[in-house]
Structures are given as structure tokens and as C-alpha cells.
Amino acid sequence: MATARAVPFRRCRLISGSPFLDLCQQYENGAGCLQTIRFNVYMSKIHVGFFSMVRRALPPLTTLRAFEAAARLLSFKAAADELSVTQSAISHQVASLERNLGTPLFQRLPGRVELSREGAIYFPVVQEALDKIAIATDLIRQTPAPASLTVQVYVTVAVRWLIPRLQTFKEASPEIAVNLDASLLDWEFNPDRADVGLIYTRAPNRPNHTYTLLRRERLVGVCAPAIAKIIKTPEDLRHFSFLSVTGTTEDAALWASAVGASGLSQKPSPLFDSNLLAIEAAANGQGVVVVPEFLVEGDIASGTLVAPLASDVMQPGGWYLVHLERRANEKAIRKFLQWIQCQM
């Protein structure tokens, strides 16, 4: 058996002058940043011919990721939170892997899970393999290439706050292309979709993630100027609708309590799936909407929207920039973090 430092194929045949052999030689010669990682390759023969590999009967990668997270955390729920999927999805993926292997990997106990004997054997092997894939992926991503950064962000924050300011980042860092992954609905950061996330959360504690607090925000109830002229006291709110937004009922209740309008009977309220739509409806005289102040600062300054009742109530959570811990030193992420901290 010959041993060389290269990428982790177990058994293979190489041809002289092939891209794979060139890559092996780069590792051997320590070319560029590739010298930082060493892999052992077991090669049966090296000869002139064509590259071929022994077929591997591997389970799907998604099942291995679900198993690794569940085994490491000893919790299907915690694994679901980490991978931004449902607990049911983790359970199905693990069950699929167990069927594929023909043996149970966990003991399902009341309120908890434990690794079976086979699971305890399989876990460190799968974990090491996934770690090597992640390291190699990061290594390739860090090779010289046009830099890009994908930011996961609420569509309302993208439209009303981020995009109007984004040109200043492009001017300061023209070598970094920023892509936006906008969502209408409430979500947790998904590192498979984006490099960083600009999110609101009350629990900045997901494993293997870094959260940087950008700001805590005051809640304001705003409406069109014509409606604001009528609202002199909290009781006047009964003449108008609260414009409800999916996932933000807690904010509206906190604001109503702070201004003394808890339990007030109001007109039937339409339901919107984003603050973006509700703010537009409020500006067109359809009612009062409660939102984080930074989303409507420009509208209040221009007089398009008015906050008729003063309040200092704050959102219970904070606005964070989040990314994977292991990517903290990447240039694009560091530059974007520095920029957005100045903007916030």
C-alpha cells in the first residue's frame, strides 16, 4: 500500500496528469494553504489509464447529519433546533438511517434518548467524517475567488432598513458581493442558506453559533396622520383596528399594556404575514400597527406615520447578527459585522 497526503478517498486508481493526482501533489508539496490539512489515501495501484473509484454504499448525508447532531446532543429536539428543522424531521431521518443500517442507533426512553451499542460505535466515525468535510469545504471556500456574502434577513428589515443603507457597505468593501435571502415569516438562522443572519431572538444560545447583539429596540404604535389626530387617549384606540402581524402578537400586547390599552375592545383586525404589509396598511389609514421603531423612523420623520401615544416599552429580545462559530474569522463576515455595528 502506498500512502500519500491528499483528499480522503479510501481506495482509488489514479492516472498520470489527472486533476486528482495534481491535487495530491499540491498536498505533497505543501502548495498554498492546502498544506494546512493532511489526509491519508490508500491507493491500490497507480498506472496510466482512467480514474475509477470503488463504489460506496453510503446512507444519505441528511440522515448522517441528523444522527450526528442527535447523538452529540442526546436530544432530538436540540438537534432539530440546531439544524433548523422540526423534531419530527430529525426522528424520521434517524429512523431512515436505522432502516438503512438494519439496527437501532438509539434507545428511546421516556423523555430522553441514549445511544445504543451500535450507535456509540457509529457516532465518533460519522462525527469525524462530517468534521473533515466541513474543514475541507471551508478550505476551498477560502481560496482566492470573488468574495460574496449571503445575508438571511426578514423581508421587512431588508426593504425598510438594510437595502437603503447597503450601498455604503458596497462602497467601503467593493470586493464583497452581498446577496440577500429574505423571508416573510419568522425563522431561525439557517447556515445552509446563508453566511450570516440578521435576526430578532429572545434566545441567542444555539450551539456552535456566534451571536453579536446589534441593538435592543423600542416598540411604537403608529398610524396615518388623520387617525393620529383622533387618538388623544388610550381609550380612543377602540375606534380603530390593531393591524395584526403573524408572530408579533406579543409585541402588540406589550405596547398596549404600556400605554394603558390592555383589554380594550376594538374593531375587527385584519391579519398580515409581514410588518412590511401592515406598515403600508397603517400609512393608508387602515389602523394602528405596533412595530420596532427602527423600521419606521424615516416615516415618522417625514410625517407619513405618526406615533400618537408615547411609550418606552422595549422588545423582550434583541436584534443580532449570527453566524457559525467556526466562520468567525472569515474576511467578508468580519467586514460586514463591523459595518452593521456602525449602522445600528
Side-chain angles (χ1 to χ4, degrees):
M1 286 285 188
T3 302
R5 286 172 287 173
V7 292
F9 292 112
R10 289 185 56 197
R11 298 179 59 83
C12 58
R13 296 189 179 97
L14 303 175
I15 65 169
S16 176
S18 72
F20 186 78
L21 184 55
D22 292 342
L23 183 58
C24 292
Q25 290 168 346
Q26 289 180 29
Y27 273 90
E28 197 67 47
N29 298 331
C33 63
L34 295 176
Q35 62 186 337
T36 60
I37 295 181
R38 296 180 179 180
F39 294 109
N40 289 327
V41 177
Y42 301 96
M43 296 177 289
S44 58
K45 292 181 181 179
I46 298 178
H47 62 89
V48 176
F50 62 91
F51 179 93
S52 65
M53 287 174 47
V54 175
R55 183 178 180 274
R56 296 183 179 89
L58 295 177
L61 181 60
T62 52
T63 66
L64 295 175
R65 290 185 66 206
F67 165 70
E68 188 278 335
R72 172 165 40 83
L73 300 169
L74 288 179
S75 167
F76 284 15
K77 182 179 185 303
D81 291 342
E82 179 175 305
L83 297 179
S84 300
V85 298
T86 64
Q87 184 174 342
S88 176
I90 294 292
S91 180
H92 285 304
Q93 293 287 1
V94 169
S96 175
L97 180 59
E98 290 174 327
R99 288 193 299 272
N100 185 292
L101 299 175
T103 186
L105 299 173
F106 290 94
Q107 298 179 34
R108 276 76 166 176
L109 304 172
R112 62 191 176 92
V113 294
E114 292 182 359
L115 285 169
S116 67
R117 183 178 67 86
E118 292 79 4
I121 294 171
Y122 201 42
F123 167 57
V125 178
V126 172
Q127 185 177 51
E128 182 180 2
L130 291 177
D131 285 345
K132 284 184 177 180
I133 292 172
I135 291 169
T137 301
D138 285 349
L139 176 66
I140 292 171
R141 282 175 175 161
Q142 291 172 20
T143 56
S148 67
L149 185 77
T150 299
V151 182
Q152 191 174 350
V153 60
Y154 300 104
V155 68
T156 305
V157 178
V159 172
R160 301 191 65 84
W161 189 87
L162 182 57
I163 290 175
R165 292 165 172 79
L166 201 53
Q167 185 60 31
T168 62
F169 177 77
K170 293 179 179 180
E171 292 171 355
S173 303
E175 76 281 8
I176 301 173
V178 177
N179 307 310
L180 300 184
D181 184 334
S183 171
L184 283 171
L185 304 177
D186 194 14
W187 43 258
E188 279 286 351
F189 171 59
N190 184 348
D192 291 333
R193 285 172 42 189
D195 303 303
V196 298
L198 175 53
I199 69 168
Y200 169 81
T201 182
R202 296 180 63 177
N205 53 13
R206 288 174 64 193
N208 306 315
H209 289 64
T210 296
Y211 292 79
T212 300
L213 178 64
L214 300 176
R215 67 192 289 165
R216 298 192 184 277
E217 193 59 29
R218 189 166 71 103
L219 291 170
V220 292
V222 293
C223 58
I227 292 178
K229 291 178 181 179
I230 301 172
I231 301 175
K232 304 300 182 183
T233 68
E235 288 73 20
D236 294 329
L237 290 170
R238 71 182 184 277
H239 300 297
F240 305 100
S241 297
F242 269 137
L243 303 177
S244 301
V245 181
T246 303
T248 67
T249 53
E250 181 184 44
D251 286 352
L254 285 172
W255 180 84
S257 176
V259 300
S262 293
L264 193 67
S265 176
Q266 292 181 293
K267 288 186 175 181
S269 169
L271 180 65
F272 299 91
D273 65 3
S274 76
N275 278 322
L276 183 66
L277 300 180
I279 291 169
E280 187 67 20
N284 283 277
Q286 296 182 30
V288 178
V289 64
V290 177
V291 293
E293 187 174 25
F294 79 98
L295 295 179
V296 291
E297 284 175 330
D299 303 89
I300 293 174
S302 67
T304 304
L305 290 170
V306 178
L309 300 175
S311 169
D312 290 324
V313 66
M314 307 292 289
Q315 284 186 296
W319 290 84
Y320 294 84
L321 193 76
V322 57
H323 56 79
L324 292 176
E325 283 180 357
R326 59 183 170 81
R327 302 188 62 185
N329 291 323
E330 292 184 18
K331 178 181 176 181
I333 291 177
R334 286 190 287 106
K335 284 199 168 187
F336 189 79
L337 175 59
Q338 292 168 359
W339 172 80
I340 202 168
Q341 284 177 311
C342 294
Q343 297 297 313
M344 283 284 197

